[in-house]
Amino acid sequence: MANENLIEIKNLVTHYITDDGVVEAVNGINLSIKKGESLGLVGETGAGKTTTALSILRLVPDPPGKIISGEIIYNGEDLLKKPIKEMRKIRGGQISMIFQDPMTALNPILTVGEQIAEVVRQHNDVTRAESHQRAVEMLEMVGIQGERAHEYPHQFSGGMKQRVVIAIALACNPHFLIADEPTTALDVTIQAQVLEMISELQKKLGTSMMLITHDLGVVAETCEQVAVMYAGEIVEYGTLEHIFNHTSHPYTEGLFGSIPSLDKSVTRLKPIKGLMPDPSNLPSGCSFHPRCEYATDLCAERCPVDTEIEPGHIVRCLKFEDGRHGEW
Amino acid sequence: MAKDKKKNAAAQDAPVRTKKKSALSEFWRMFKKRKISVVGLVVVFILIFCAVFAEFVAPYDYAEQDLRQRFTYPCWEHPLGTDNFGRDLLSRIIFGGRVSLLVALVSICTAVLVGGSFGATAGYFGGLYESIIMRCMDAIMAVPALLYAVAISASLGTGIVSSTIAIAFGFVPTFTRVARAAVLTVREQEYIEAAKAIGASSGRIIVHHIIPNAMAPCIVQATVSLVNSILTISTLSFIGLGVQPPTPEWGSILANGREYIREFWPLATFPGVAIMICLISFNMVGDGVRDALDPRLKQ
Amino acid sequence: MIRYILKRLVLMIPVLVGVIFIIFTINYISPGDPLVDILGIEASAEQRAAKAHELGLDQPYLVQLGNYIWGIFTRLDFGTSYRTNRPVRDEVLERFPTTLLLTSLITCLSVPCGLTFGIVTAVFQNSILDYVVTFIALAGASMPQFWLALMLMLVFALTLGWFPAIGFDTPRHWVLPTIACGMLPISTLTRNVRSSMLEVIRQDYIRTARAKGLGELKIIFKHALRNALIPIITVIGFQVTSAMAGAIVAEQIFSIPGMGALLISSIKSKNYPSIQGNILWMGLMASIINLIVDLAYAYIDPRIKAQFTRRKAKATKKTAEAKAV
């Protein structure tokens, strides 16, 4: 099983050490993604999704960010132990990332063609002309006319810019693609187009993908595996089927309760009460307990551990520990 | 789109006027973080104290001559030595600071008021009025401020008042631009529309909404300009256009020291050290102010 | 591009007229009587009236101003020096090469130094090197140029005797004035480049560049520096024009026969046409430097360049989008 995994994250802990305290952005998460598979990483803003993604590429801004411990095994090697030179060969070449905000992700003073060609040149032994040829191809692949390669980012609309960002990420046929909320900054009408394009390209190129989002609908459409993240931890992890049909963790339940459904008639949506805890001052015990409907005194004292409630379906909740199966 | 976000952010914190106090304490919290700026602030306070209470701080009067003690090197009686008339150099530097700081502060305040009101009205009313004001400012900006200061002092004559005017003139366009830019960003906000909708007068909108928002960038610019104005007044005095002897001013003491540079180095050295200490601390405060206010300034 | 340059040149004319207007008016409102300065107190009323008529001083303000502006634009005539009775233009032009040389030297010293120090301190932020250079830059930005000039003269000319104290004949003479005037621009540039670089390094597109696997050098020079330079170009322009103004003082201290020295002596002798001409000439130079700055902007920032080719770009974009649909 381990051999099939393209990438495996074990006990990753990433903190931001600031003057005002330590922000515990990622607290020991475990994930694995197989070749060609796509995983959805779901959670509220500030749950540590982006930090997880940046940790994989070792792009967490340092200072203040620090990867405290853990392993990220990619093709049998720990990325966190690789020298920075090796890491550069992997970034953009084998693992690449689509960033959240296309408005700021592109360099305003370089042509989009050059920005694509640059990554091609970095990882392949090609001439300048060949790399620009490839850039034109990539632009056409994401649905932008090739002749616009010599234009600058300010000449493109938001959706177009995101396409360029995608073209950069896919230009070297990466084995693993991290898409960090690729549609959040876009209009609803364009969101669907871009998502469709990403998953189409992903299937065509046989790339594994980690899709970061706070939108469960997006996950349902594109992913086979789902990990639900809360306050730097993965609270529920399983296949799409597990998460959607055997929803177990109270937080995941809450997420589903807060989106409208077509087949149930409810008069009011049920939002999760309270706010995400301050990551520099997490509650004791289970970090979700102050907002949890089922919380008991024990929840404030003991940190839950991963419990596999059915093969491949992991929940981190005291409710499921010691074979309780969700019953207290 | 990113712009919109920032606009919203600005709109959220701008109309809440009861928050003013907390904005000040927030500013102080941010400012405190840079220890070096706090050190600068302490030095600035000491300098201002010395300037205001020069009569009590200085060991001698600035004009007190003692011709038997000309060109004394630093000693217990005269910590920084004496000049060509046997006047105590330390006392002259302390009194000189009073003139330099006064001229610099008054000229910057003048420039802030004049430039700020031109800029605020230009930004608010727009149209032909704005174009005329801004083209005039372009013309002023085209020539380095020092040259205007020289031209005006040469024309109006020397003395504290004309130096102040001369220095203030060159700084007006800076504040016009800063204020106008601030107003232009504020003008588009929805709460200004709302204020207009409930029938607030232009004057009221400017005083209650626009000026508070233009404050932060003006303060940052003023601390930076203060350093330049101190440099300008001492330069003017040095070339004989600013404050005239016997009134001590750092630049004019240095001009005097230049005459005797071959024979007696302290006279050309210590006033400059005083200027440097003063400007370093102003710069440190300026850096701190900028950093503390910056998050709101980023445009 | 040529159209852009022409457009900028045309836009320069009103600015220059404005500068002339301001300087002329400043001199006009001077409380002193130029006739007294020229002829002396003893001159008779007829002599004074004749002189006033000869110089056009009996005409109303607007006519005088109009004649002055007309003279400058048609004949490059800045008036006649009261002292020497020679055209101010000729006197200024005699002195100008020296000032230009000094200004160029200052620019050539301060721009490379300021950029290098700024980049190095930003890249090695919070290292000992950063602290040391940043502090020196802080001190350098807090020093009056004339005092630094005096100190350099005291130490390197009068005490050590390494460089001559006065004059501007050989490259050895150039060293001290250039350093004295260069310190402020170097320090200001260092501080500005550093903060601009730090600002840019935090941007998302730098993270994108890192995610592409580019090396640090490429990230700094290709991605960060060019963006960081955009606000810096203005600072450079401002520093060069200020250096030119600052040269007035340095010229006086080192007895350099440049425009600054001429300006100071004109002020001392209340030679108004000469004062005006000098300042206007410097203003003209400053405007040309500002023009170069504007052009450099357009070269480095495609968004500015787009402003003068906007129509063309919009057209292509529209057709492209139409085709895409």
Side-chain angles (χ1 to χ4, degrees), chain A residues 59 88 91-92 99 104-110 114-115 118-119 121-123 145 148 152 154-155 168, chain C residues 204-205 207-208 210-216 218 222-223 226-227 230 300 302-303 306 313 317 320 323:
Chain A
L59 284 175
R88 281 194 196 119
R91 286 178 193 161
F99 290 99
T104 55
L106 294 175
N107 191 328
I109 57 161
L110 296 175
E114 172 57 24
Q115 296 191 49
E118 182 181 52
V119 65
R121 279 204 302 281
Q122 188 70 26
H123 298 285
Q145 279 185 311
R148 296 192 67 186
Y152 291 93
H154 70 270
Q155 289 163 292
I168 292 174
Chain C
D204 284 355
Y205 53 79
R207 194 177 60 186
T208 310
R210 290 226 160 86
K212 285 177 185 175
L214 301 182
E216 279 303 304
K218 235 182 191 162
K222 185 171 175 186
H223 288 267
R226 275 188 64 194
N227 277 293
I230 292 171
I300 212 164
R303 285 160 296 187
K317 193 176 158 188
K323 273 186 213 164

Side-chain angles (χ1 to χ4, degrees), chain B residues 27 178 182 210-223 289-290 292-294 296-297:
Chain B
F27 167 74
V178 171
I210 289 181
I211 289 180
N213 280 289
M215 281 296 264
C218 277
I219 290 172
V220 172
Q221 193 57 51
T223 43
V289 169
R290 194 196 54 216
L293 292 175
D294 213 30
R296 299 179 187 197
L297 288 179

Side-chain angles (χ1 to χ4, degrees), chain A residues 29-85:
Chain A
I29 64 165
N30 294 291
L31 278 178
S32 58
I33 297 164
K34 295 190 183 69
K35 283 201 172 97
E37 188 183 66
S38 60
L39 169 102
L41 190 59
V42 191
E44 284 169 89
T45 309
K49 294 167 294 170
T50 303
T51 307
T52 307
L54 292 175
S55 300
I56 296 174
L57 283 172
R58 284 180 43 201
L59 284 175
V60 181
D62 176 21
K66 270 247 150 37
I67 299 175
I68 307 284
S69 62
E71 286 172 48
I72 297 171
I73 311 289
Y74 170 77
N75 274 345
E77 286 177 287
D78 187 357
L79 291 182
L80 298 182
K81 293 207 179 76
K82 274 192 179 283
I84 192 73
K85 261 199 174 150

Side-chain angles (χ1 to χ4, degrees), chain B residues 142 150 155 258 268-269 283 287, chain C residues 26 30-31 142 147 151 191 252 286:
Chain B
V150 168
S155 169
R258 186 192 162 208
T269 309
N283 265 325
D287 290 353
Chain C
I26 288 171
S30 163
S142 309
W147 181 67
M151 289 299 105
R191 284 156 59 82
Q252 210 201 5

